Amino acid sequence: MTSATAYSCSVTKQAGRPAAPEDVDVTAHHVKGHNGETVKFKNPHPSASCGDPIGPLTIVPTIMFGQFTGKMVFPSVKNVKIPVVKPSFLASRSTTTSNQNLRATWLGHACYYAEFPSGLRVLFDPVFEDRCAPLQFIGPKRYSPPACTPADLPAVDAVVISHSHYDHLSHTSVMEIARRHPAAHFFVGLGLEKWFRACGIANVTEMDWWEEAELVLTRTTGEDAKGPESIAARISCLPCQHASGRRPLDRDHTLWASWAVASGGKSVYFGGDTGYRAVPEVKDAEGAGEGDDYGPEYEGLPRNPDFARIGATRGPFDLGLLPIGAYKPRWLFSGVHASPRDAVEIFKETRCKRAMAIHWGTWLLTNEDVEEPPRLLREALRTSGIAETGVFDVCAVGESREF
């Protein structure tokens, strides 16, 4: 297998924001301090909240009180078995083979490994640890094992990080990837470069929404005679609706983002972790559970306009990696986590030709049934007149698909 050390990497940020629509205020998500400098970030659209901002100081007490009163019961994962298969990766970067497809492998939660026909290898939101928490003896524990370890990845040229939450950014995983693939370049939102440099990682580029960078790999050795002499890619940092933070007092000090990667005639849109439209508490007819927040009375709720803008300026995409889990209770999490129905709307607006589901099947983060997201995804596709299989799919952890 080709080692990433056979290539040197250069990254050039493009001047301005070439992907930004003309009518967009490209710094509306910046919160300015007294000196005029950006001190933190915010979601700029009404779609992000139905009331008070949701954060750790709100979520944790709300969940604890809900559990104490029995109004917020988390499902059992004892008998849940998310399919896990041993992944296989391409043995070479060769562009002379007949297979010119994009190949993508789900490694659990939001982590995907993408093999572009150009030879580029990209890793999205790698977290291989047992727990997504500051400490490995407390916090959400995996109920489906990781498909592999960083040691099993044949090459990593670029690592794309959506935001700083522990289920998307792991210090241990990042350090192991940097050790095994020292030429790998990390792409992060504004404010996160400092964290990476403190970890001893210098190959990092931080970007704001609507910014773009060109990544060029140049072969430095003859290690892989069939590998291309050079590989080029365009990396786009794009808006989404979420939050950030790794400690109680650093909430929203670094930027969250979705991303697009284009190389060799193929493109991927990575939704990362995002909400779409915040909804109020909606009861079902019996008043015992959550009702349909897409009913007629909720049609007028604000939707995030940036996904349609992304589709218009950067789409269409060959593949979307879109979140479908961690969405209940909806009144608490809808502003920052997409439901399956939200994900289908994002799929349509970003103009993805195909999509694979992420952000489910790994850790118990919220209180929907663990196996509910795929079922609701099929229902949402049917409601939108889209085939239930073959367009926006789920797969086993470790499974690869071609596009």
Side-chain angles (χ1 to χ4, degrees):
M1 292 184 178
T2 304
S3 169
T5 57
Y7 287 81
S8 64
C9 173
S10 66
V11 175
T12 305
K13 284 180 65 172
Q14 304 299 303
R17 289 174 169 83
E22 293 183 359
D23 61 340
V24 168
D25 179 353
V26 294
T27 60
H29 55 293
H30 290 226
V31 177
K32 304 289 187 178
H34 294 299
N35 58 2
E37 295 183 358
T38 298
V39 295
K40 59 189 301 187
F41 302 93
K42 65 180 181 179
N43 292 302
H45 303 301
S47 56
S49 177
C50 282
D52 294 334
I54 300 298
L57 298 180
T58 304
I59 291 176
V60 174
T62 300
I63 290 177
M64 292 179 65
F65 181 75
Q67 290 180 301
F68 177 76
T69 59
K71 294 182 178 180
M72 195 178 297
V73 179
F74 280 76
S76 171
V77 297
K78 290 183 179 180
N79 298 317
V80 172
K81 292 185 178 180
I82 304 298
V84 179
V85 300
K86 183 179 180 180
S88 63
F89 306 111
L90 297 177
S92 171
R93 295 180 191 263
S94 174
T95 59
T96 62
T97 63
S98 59
N99 184 3
Q100 291 296 293
N101 293 333
L102 168 71
R103 195 168 184 272
T105 305
W106 188 36
L107 301 181
H109 200 54
C111 182
Y112 247 93
Y113 182 73
E115 298 168 286
F116 288 79
S118 64
L120 182 73
R121 304 295 184 251
V122 180
L123 188 61
F124 297 93
D125 278 6
V127 180
F128 294 91
E129 280 68 55
D130 193 36
R131 295 183 187 271
C132 58
L135 303 172
Q136 284 299 298
F137 60 84
I138 193 172
K141 180 180 173 61
R142 281 183 184 267
Y143 55 80
S144 59
C148 65
T149 69
D152 299 315
L153 301 175
V156 178
D157 303 311
V159 182
V160 174
I161 303 295
S162 65
H163 65 296
S164 66
H165 287 159
Y166 284 93
D167 55 326
H168 296 259
L169 176 61
S170 157
H171 177 268
T172 302
S173 291
V174 161
M175 294 302 293
E176 182 67 4
I177 291 162
R179 184 180 73 83
R180 292 184 175 276
H181 304 279
H185 200 91
F186 292 80
F187 292 88
V188 304
L190 288 185
L192 262 180
E193 180 178 349
K194 181 179 179 181
W195 184 91
F196 277 81
R197 292 192 179 277
C199 295
I201 297 173
N203 300 338
V204 57
T205 296
E206 69 174 25
M207 299 169 66
D208 200 356
W209 290 353
W210 303 112
E211 287 189 328
E212 291 188 340
E214 181 183 26
L215 178 148
V216 176
L217 302 178
T218 303
R219 199 173 73 195
T220 57
T221 73
E223 191 170 317
D224 183 2
K226 295 182 179 180
E229 291 288 342
S230 64
I231 300 169
R234 181 180 61 198
I235 315 292
S236 304
C237 180
L238 298 166
C240 69
Q241 185 171 290
H242 199 58
S244 68
R246 295 175 72 80
R247 303 183 306 275
L249 299 180
D250 72 343
R251 183 187 173 206
D252 298 346
H253 285 205
T254 61
L255 183 61
W256 49 96
S258 63
W259 296 83
V261 179
S263 183
K266 294 291 184 178
S267 59
V268 173
Y269 174 67
F270 177 60
D273 199 352
T274 185
Y276 176 65
R277 57 194 282 277
V279 303
E281 188 171 10
V282 180
K283 292 291 187 180
D284 61 17
E286 290 76 27
E290 295 198 44
D292 178 14
D293 56 60
Y294 271 89
E297 61 270 47
Y298 305 107
E299 183 62 31
L301 290 176
R303 303 185 182 205
N304 189 303
D306 287 326
F307 298 108
R309 291 167 176 161
I310 290 168
T313 58
R314 300 280 0 116
F317 300 98
D318 295 289
L319 173 63
L321 303 174
L322 305 178
I324 68 166
Y327 49 82
K328 281 186 177 180
R330 296 289 291 140
W331 60 267
L332 183 61
F333 289 107
S334 58
V336 292
H337 284 165
S339 69
R341 179 68 182 272
D342 293 337
V344 171
E345 296 302 307
I346 293 171
F347 167 75
K348 294 187 294 185
E349 292 183 3
T350 52
R351 299 175 63 197
C352 294
K353 298 176 184 177
R354 301 271 302 279
M356 297 300 297
I358 62 171
H359 207 259
W360 77 283
T362 306
W363 291 291
L364 187 63
L365 302 176
T366 50
N367 72 341
E368 74 269 10
D369 184 77
V370 169
E371 296 173 294
E372 180 183 87
R375 177 176 60 80
L376 293 190
L377 175 61
R378 291 191 296 270
E379 292 180 5
L381 290 167
R382 186 167 61 250
T383 298
S384 292
I386 301 172
E388 293 181 35
T389 59
V391 179
F392 188 164
D393 288 332
V394 298
C395 69
V397 178
E399 183 178 348
S400 300
R401 296 285 180 93
E402 294 193 356
F403 305 90

